[in-house]
Amino acid sequence: MKEKNCSGKLLENYLNSFSHIYIEKEILGHEVTEQILKRLPKAQRVLINNYRDIFNRPRQNYIIQKRSQKLILAKKKFDFIYPGSGLCENFGEEHFYYSSSIMNCFYECEYCYLQGMYPSGNIVIFVNLEDYFSAVDELTRDKKIYLCLSYESDLLAFENLTGFTGRWIHYARNNANVLVEIRTKSANFNAVADKEIPRNVIFAWTLSPQEVIQNYEAGAPSLEARLNSIRQAIAKGLKVRLSLEPLIMIDDLETVYKNFIHSIFAVIPPEGIRDVNIGVFRMSREHMKRISKLKKNSKVFAYEMNCVDGNVSYKQEREMKQIVYNEVIKYLEKDKVY
Ligand code: SF4
């Protein structure tokens, strides 16, 4: 599969491949709905009452649907913000939350936890971002929060369609009590490069060795394309986060990951990095079972795993993390590495 986001043309082709757009009647006329429909004039439009009627249908096949995704435009009615999961790094932030305005993603990472979580591989975009902002207003009335926006999709990859990243940047400029993280595998920083990005917006790039990208991150931009996007962000004055997660077991692991870290710091100046988090692939045992059912013989689970407190990871989890940590601290102060 070709990467979908290294050039406007490939992304454009992907967007034009939506054969159908399901639209909740209630949000016809909403400005985001109209903007998206205008962008995708060829897709057949189907009016629906509630996105769940399509997205939550029984007996759907996530994997098959991912190959020919449909787009669903909907209105989020409740649960705009969730408490952060204990499985995710909180970077020492006390009040950790996440929010999800898009469900599913157009990359096809072999290890993606969404495949065991959602009943459908189709993409849902909740167009009413203004209601998310109201929920954050409410939550930040008396405290500072750390809010991750791009855990259940890749917000920046969809930017040319939704403009959501730009709107969150604008929102954060006017709310000093929110620290926003936008995590991405895309090479699409260009889409927001003209914005004035405040310090309470963190762009976080998930990076993997090219060998892992080739084998486990179908459709996602190459390491080189992601690094170019990071350089562009740093050149604009941003301090970026690097997320070296999930570390994936691979032949000749030590050499592959050492070369990977070296290739990052060969082109990214350490002073442009806010922090780095390192995490080995892991997920709950229940989740792993669901994914294994969907994907028989998944490469991710081909190595020996351990289960601790209901969470599964590689047997060599500690060693893997140590190898990468030891390499990163050759370039970066320890207090920046999580
Ligand atoms: S980029 Fe993230 S959300 Fe998208 S497929 Fe990969 S792991 Fe899943």
Side-chain angles (χ1 to χ4, degrees):
M1 176 188 281
K2 281 184 184 163
E3 60 188 60
K4 291 172 181 164
N5 203 24
C6 66
S7 79
K9 185 126 184 61
L10 290 173
L11 179 63
E12 199 62 35
N13 289 345
Y14 169 74
L15 293 177
N16 286 329
S17 72
F18 283 122
S19 60
H20 289 75
I21 307 181
Y22 295 90
I23 312 149
E24 282 186 352
K25 288 176 191 157
E26 194 181 348
I27 47 105
L28 265 181
H30 187 285
E31 60 170 337
V32 175
T33 309
E34 295 310 308
Q35 167 199 319
I36 292 174
L37 292 180
K38 209 164 149 196
R39 194 77 181 62
L40 306 172
K42 291 186 192 142
Q44 194 176 326
R45 299 169 187 188
V46 183
L47 291 183
I48 54 172
N49 290 320
N50 190 316
Y51 82 93
R52 291 165 194 266
D53 298 341
I54 306 296
F55 195 72
N56 291 1
R57 270 195 301 227
R59 293 181 294 281
Q60 300 184 87
N61 187 310
Y62 187 97
I63 307 297
I64 292 174
Q65 285 183 337
K66 273 288 270 199
R67 286 184 210 136
S68 166
Q69 288 173 306
K70 311 288 181 273
L71 185 60
I72 303 169
L73 304 181
K75 179 175 179 176
K76 182 92 169 162
K77 305 246 170 56
F78 43 80
D79 289 343
F80 296 97
I81 316 282
Y82 301 94
S85 154
L87 283 179
C88 301
E89 176 60 60
N90 68 356
F91 297 90
E93 300 291 341
E94 190 185 353
H95 301 295
F96 167 33
Y97 295 91
Y98 75 98
S99 179
S100 167
S101 51
I102 303 180
M103 297 200 293
N104 271 326
C105 164
F106 55 77
Y107 301 140
E108 291 182 40
C109 301
E110 182 76 19
Y111 53 75
C112 181
Y113 74 104
L114 299 181
Q115 56 199 329
M117 195 168 102
Y118 292 146
S120 166
N122 291 326
I123 290 171
V124 179
I125 298 178
F126 295 110
V127 298
N128 53 323
L129 211 55
E130 58 283 0
D131 292 328
Y132 287 79
F133 296 151
S134 301
V136 182
D137 282 346
E138 188 63 36
L139 200 58
T140 54
R141 198 163 289 197
D142 57 357
K143 61 175 181 285
K144 286 182 180 284
I145 68 162
Y146 168 55
L147 180 63
C148 293
L149 299 175
S150 195
Y151 273 6
E152 295 181 352
S153 188
D154 191 315
L155 218 60
L156 190 60
F158 280 96
E159 188 61 10
N160 304 24
L161 187 63
T162 63
F164 282 180
T165 309
R167 288 181 62 197
W168 275 108
I169 290 170
H170 181 76
Y171 175 80
R173 266 208 303 272
N174 297 304
N175 184 349
N177 274 355
V178 68
L179 174 65
V180 155
E181 191 215 67
I182 296 160
R183 194 168 289 212
T184 187
K185 285 191 176 92
S186 83
N188 202 23
F189 184 74
N190 219 13
V192 292
D194 63 340
K195 310 266 181 234
E196 192 195 315
I197 301 174
R199 294 172 74 90
N200 56 336
V201 173
I202 304 167
F203 278 87
W205 268 272
T206 302
L207 300 178
S208 299
Q210 187 55 36
E211 293 86 337
V212 170
I213 293 174
Q214 261 158 240
N215 285 299
Y216 292 89
E217 297 180 1
S222 65
L223 176 61
E224 190 188 354
R226 292 181 219 180
L227 291 174
N228 285 340
S229 220
I230 293 170
R231 285 170 61 180
Q232 199 184 351
I234 292 174
K236 194 178 155 61
L238 266 57
K239 285 200 177 280
V240 304
R241 169 168 291 158
L242 304 183
S243 182
L244 310 182
E245 187 181 21
L247 305 185
I248 294 287
M249 184 57 84
I250 189 165
D251 291 346
D252 210 5
L253 178 120
E254 189 159 351
T255 311
V256 167
Y257 273 94
K258 280 185 175 175
N259 289 342
F260 163 58
I261 302 302
H262 177 73
S263 66
I264 294 173
F265 287 96
V267 294
I268 303 295
E271 57 278 13
I273 297 175
R274 175 193 173 101
D275 49 32
V276 173
N277 80 293
I278 303 169
V280 179
F281 168 79
R282 63 176 176 148
M283 64 174 46
S284 77
R285 184 170 42 195
E286 293 315 308
H287 209 90
M288 177 185 153
K289 277 190 202 159
R290 283 196 292 272
I291 294 182
S292 306
K293 247 191 208 170
L294 274 173
K295 270 188 178 161
K296 309 252 183 291
N297 311 319
S298 170
K299 288 182 273 188
V300 182
F301 306 125
Y303 293 87
E304 220 179 327
M305 298 275 182
N306 259 352
C307 184
V308 179
D309 297 333
N311 294 315
V312 176
S313 185
Y314 299 116
K315 213 172 166 200
Q316 297 89 334
E317 180 185 7
R318 256 201 214 154
E319 295 89 317
M320 290 170 76
K321 189 165 180 175
Q322 199 63 47
I323 289 168
V324 175
Y325 177 82
N326 289 346
E327 262 337 272
V328 173
I329 59 169
K330 287 183 185 166
Y331 302 91
L332 216 58
E333 301 91 307
K334 285 184 181 170
D335 61 357
K336 288 187 175 176
V337 186
Y338 290 85

